[in-house]
Amino acid sequence: MNNVRMIEFKDIVDENNKERPMGHLTPIESGQDIPFEIKRIYYLTRVPENTIRGFHSHKELQQVLLCLNGRVTISVATPYEKELITLDDPARGLYIGPMIWREMYDFSPGSVLVVLASQHYNEEEYIRDYRSYCEIAQEYLKGE
Ligand code: T46
C-alpha cells in the first residue's frame, strides 16, 4: 500500500560475552533510519483490553510506530485497500504516511506503543470523519 511500509532497524546483540547475555540494543537516527526529522514522540501505555483507538487519518503527518513491549495490531486502510499489521518486535517500525486511515487494537497487557512523528501535534491536521476521509482520500490518491 502506498504510504505504508515496514522499517527494519539495527538489532545489536553483543555476542562476545557467551556466559552472560547482554540483551538487544536498537539505535534509531532521525533522517537516517527515519525518513523525516522527528518533531514529536509520544507513547500509548496501559491500554485496557478490547480498546480500539485511532479511527482517523492525517492530511500530511508522517509517523513511525514501534511496539517496544508486547503486541498491538494496526489496521491501515485507504478507501480501496486495507492491511492488518502486528507489531511485536522493537527492531521493526511501521511507517504511515499521509492520508491513511488507522485503527489500533488487540493491545496486549503491558504493551508499549511508541510513535515518532514528523510534526508537532495539530488537531486541524486530523480527519476524524470517515465519510470526509473517503472523499478527500479519493482525490488525493488520483494524484499519486
Ligand atoms: C496514531 C496513533 C498510534 C495530544 O494532545 N498530543 C499528541 O501528540 C497526541 C497524539 C494526542 N493528543 C491528544 C488529542 C486527544 O485529545 O490526546 C488525545 C488522544 O489523541 P488521539 O485521538 O490522536 O489518539 P489515538 O491513540 O487514537 O491516535 C494516536 C495518533 O493520533 C495517531 O496518529 O497513529 O496514536
Side-chain angles (χ1 to χ4, degrees):
M1 187 183 300
N2 270 3
N3 286 354
V4 175
R5 64 179 185 274
M6 295 306 299
I7 301 181
E8 309 281 336
F9 302 115
K10 283 190 202 121
D11 184 6
I12 302 172
V13 183
D14 187 346
E15 286 172 348
N16 291 331
N17 191 338
K18 299 274 183 228
E19 271 129 55
R20 188 164 171 272
M22 301 280 282
H24 295 242
L25 187 154
T26 295
I28 297 180
E29 307 213 18
S30 184
Q32 293 182 18
D33 303 294
I34 303 292
F36 51 80
E37 187 195 340
I38 299 166
K39 292 258 181 73
R40 176 168 52 115
I41 299 175
Y42 61 93
Y43 31 86
L44 303 180
T45 58
R46 293 165 281 177
V47 178
E49 219 181 330
N50 300 324
T51 299
I52 309 183
R53 301 188 62 119
F55 297 105
H56 60 256
S57 168
H58 293 279
K59 294 175 190 162
E60 292 184 354
L61 185 70
Q62 304 176 72
Q63 303 195 109
V64 173
L65 280 60
L66 295 151
C67 189
L68 292 195
N69 190 56
R71 187 198 64 243
V72 56
T73 300
I74 316 288
S75 156
V76 281
T78 69
Y80 309 110
E81 52 188 336
K82 176 172 172 170
E83 265 180 56
L84 296 185
I85 295 154
T86 297
L87 293 181
D88 59 2
D89 179 351
R92 299 185 81 217
L94 173 63
Y95 170 85
I96 308 181
M99 297 308 297
I100 300 291
W101 189 262
R102 85 276 326 265
E103 293 165 20
M104 293 84 69
Y105 55 93
D106 273 353
F107 287 82
S108 69
S111 60
V112 177
L113 182 65
V114 175
V115 182
L116 314 177
S118 65
Q119 296 177 6
H120 295 144
Y121 173 69
N122 174 12
E123 186 60 38
E124 303 285 293
E125 208 270 332
Y126 280 67
I127 308 172
R128 292 191 184 269
D129 174 65
Y130 186 68
R131 202 183 274 190
S132 309
Y133 164 72
C134 286
E135 286 170 12
I136 300 167
Q138 280 162 358
E139 280 305 307
Y140 171 85
L141 291 167
K142 272 190 208 160
E144 283 281 282

